[in-house]
Amino acid sequence: MASAAFEDIVADFEFLEDWEDRYRYVIDAGKAMEPLDAALCVPATKVDGCASQVWLHPVIEGGVLHFDGASDAMIVSGLIAVLRALYNGLSVQEVAQVKAAEELARLGLNDHLSAQRSNGLRAMIERIHQVAAEAA
């Protein structure tokens, strides 16, 4: 169960054969995000378990999840952009149905991220699911 925005990323990744091109794609996606307001980079929005500094600011409106985020690492900012494509606009019930590991495996991310980055990605996914579960 992936959004159209995430399916676009999957299609782009299929077109990009070289992992270095895919890596640049992820970094560029992070650079294209609107910056997170510095006032939202606080302990309450910080994601523990990431090697980099990561903040996620989720908002639930009408039972639908939207979140913004920021990181001090370019690749992690890109991973936030990928997660936004995967989750933004889903109802809190739909978020619970997303099998993030399977969806992200379609991009081959697991094969190319360090163990620390993979742990951080899992921590971000857990935070997103936790927020949605609390709102459901």
Side-chain angles (χ1 to χ4, degrees), residues 1 7 10 17 27-28 43 45 63 76 78 87 105 107 129-130 135:
M1 163 179 201
E7 290 299 336
V10 171
E17 295 177 14
I27 289 172
D28 289 344
T45 61
V76 178
Y87 287 105
L107 301 177
H129 281 260
Q130 175 188 7

Side-chain angles (χ1 to χ4, degrees), residues 43-81:
T45 61
K46 190 167 190 266
V47 178
D48 295 324
C50 298
S52 306
Q53 300 287 321
V54 177
W55 297 271
L56 297 181
H57 180 254
V59 176
I60 310 280
E61 291 180 353
V64 176
L65 172 73
H66 293 280
F67 75 91
D68 293 310
S71 176
D72 61 352
M74 290 188 301
I75 188 63
V76 178
S77 292
L79 294 173
I80 292 168

Side-chain angles (χ1 to χ4, degrees), residues 15 19 34 46 58-59 61-62 74 88 104 110 122-123 129-131 135-136:
F15 177 74
W19 175 248
E34 289 291 320
K46 190 167 190 266
V59 176
E61 291 180 353
M74 290 188 301
N88 270 0
L104 295 172
N110 296 340
R122 275 191 297 280
H129 281 260
Q130 175 188 7
V131 167

Side-chain angles (χ1 to χ4, degrees), residues 48-51 114-126:
D48 295 324
C50 298
S114 68
Q116 286 182 320
R117 294 280 185 244
S118 294
N119 288 339
L121 184 59
R122 275 191 297 280
M124 289 187 282
I125 292 165
E126 287 172 12

